[in-house]
């Protein structure tokens, strides 16, 4: 027998951990459910598009994360995905929506173009995240010089989430496209975005010149 949205919400409530909520809220994610436990619930439920839509409609962050794990990405219409992104308050919901759903959608390219030009920096950051994916996997037809022009002009003063996404595109261009590497490194060095970002040992710095050089040297090793 399939579970109702109310039953699943009740189960999520039992998984709520106040300490985890406190830690998550520092990052803007208002939920206290361990993500491994959330994935276990999703694995049991399997793909259920109708239930996913009901869970999304609750406006609860843990429920929305679960919805993104059990939905059928190709079943959403373009305008539905656009509305979902604009109402994604929590950063984790925004990231999972883009990475787990929109990237697999037939509407990904159309949304990438529309979102990249959006006046809302959080929406624009989703467009840049999709651009990073294309730089790495399907660069044909992308204007890489034009992207570097935009990054050079706008990244330094962009709000945090947009800046982070543009920086990822910059690094990806430098890593994947040798003919643009010198320019990407130069932009990173001049703008110094994320240069002093605290990076744990054995992790790659998000500062684009360090990131590019590290990944290129790993590949040539």
């Amino acid at each position: 027998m399939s579970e109702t949205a109310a039953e699943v919400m009740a189960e999520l409530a039992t998984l709520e951990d106040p300490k985890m909520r406190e830690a998550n809220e520092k990052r803007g994610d208002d939920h206290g459910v361990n993500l491994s436990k959330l994935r276990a619930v999703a694995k049991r439920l399997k793909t259920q598009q109708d239930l996913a839509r009901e869970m999304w409609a609750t406006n609860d962050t843990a429920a929305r994360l679960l919805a993104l794990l059990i939905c059928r990405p190709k079943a959403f219409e373009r305008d539905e995905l656009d509305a979902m992104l604009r109402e994604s308050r929590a950063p984790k919901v925004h990231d999972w929506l883009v990475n787990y759903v929109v990237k697999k959608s037939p509407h990904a390219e159309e949304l990438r173009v529309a979102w990249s030009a959006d006046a809302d920096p959080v929406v624009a950051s989703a467009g840049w995240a999709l651009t990073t994916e294309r730089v790495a996997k399907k660069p044909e037809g992308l204007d890489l010089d034009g992207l570097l022009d935009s990054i050079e002009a706008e990244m330094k003063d962009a709000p945090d989430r947009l800046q982070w996404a543009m920086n990822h595109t910059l690094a990806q261009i430098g890593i994947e496209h040798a003919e643009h590497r010198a320019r990407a490194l130069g932009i990173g060095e001049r703008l110094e975005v994320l240069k002093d970002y605290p990076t744990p040992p054995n992790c790659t710095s998000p500062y684009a010149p360090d990131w590019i050089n590290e990944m290129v040297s790993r590949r040539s090793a």
Side-chain angles (χ1 to χ4, degrees):
M1 192 180 92
S2 60
E3 293 167 63
T4 66
E7 286 168 336
V8 177
M9 289 298 290
E11 180 175 5
L12 292 180
T14 68
L15 297 175
E16 177 76 22
D17 175 350
K19 283 185 180 164
M20 185 153 284
R21 175 176 284 272
E22 191 181 340
N24 285 334
E25 282 182 341
K26 288 176 184 160
R27 296 187 288 269
D29 290 315
D30 53 342
H31 76 93
V33 179
N34 176 292
L35 294 180
S36 298
K37 291 179 179 175
L38 191 77
R39 289 179 189 280
V41 175
K43 193 173 177 184
R44 189 189 75 236
L45 292 171
K46 300 189 171 67
T47 303
Q48 295 192 49
Q49 183 67 8
D50 290 343
L51 180 60
R53 281 199 167 100
E54 286 183 67
M55 298 304 285
W56 184 270
T58 64
N59 200 22
D60 174 85
T61 294
R64 285 188 160 181
L65 291 171
L66 182 64
L68 297 170
L69 294 174
I70 65 170
C71 72
R72 191 174 290 108
K74 293 183 169 128
F76 293 107
E77 297 298 329
R78 177 211 179 279
D79 290 350
E80 192 174 7
L81 290 171
D82 183 65
M84 288 167 74
L85 185 87
R86 290 172 192 281
E87 61 186 39
S88 294
R89 306 174 326 282
K92 183 70 77 181
V93 172
H94 175 103
D95 291 343
W96 282 21
L97 175 62
V98 173
N99 287 302
Y100 297 172
V101 182
V102 181
K103 283 181 181 178
K104 298 173 184 173
S105 162
H107 310 295
E109 179 59 15
E110 192 184 341
L111 290 168
R112 181 188 78 80
V113 173
W115 288 344
S116 296
D118 201 275
D120 181 334
V122 176
V123 174
S125 75
W128 281 92
L130 294 171
T131 298
T132 302
E133 173 91 347
R134 265 205 66 188
V135 166
K137 296 186 176 171
K138 285 193 290 187
E140 300 76 22
L142 275 183
D143 176 7
L144 297 178
D145 276 315
L147 289 172
L148 290 172
D149 289 344
S150 297
I151 291 166
E152 193 163 22
E154 299 161 25
M155 180 170 78
K156 181 83 173 172
D157 299 315
D160 286 356
R161 298 201 61 172
L162 179 55
Q163 184 184 70
W164 189 272
M166 293 176 100
N167 184 68
H168 196 172
T169 302
L170 175 65
Q172 207 66 51
I173 291 172
I175 292 162
E176 301 288 345
H177 301 279
E179 69 278 19
H180 295 282
R181 188 168 297 145
R183 186 180 175 201
L185 287 166
I187 291 170
E189 284 161 5
R190 275 194 305 284
L191 299 186
E192 297 191 333
V193 166
L194 300 172
K195 187 174 185 179
D196 301 319
Y197 192 83
T199 306
N202 303 323
C203 290
T204 305
S205 167
Y207 174 52
D210 290 352
W211 190 353
I212 293 166
N213 288 325
E214 170 72 16
M215 297 311 291
V216 170
S217 70
R218 274 192 213 175
R219 288 182 181 186
S220 58

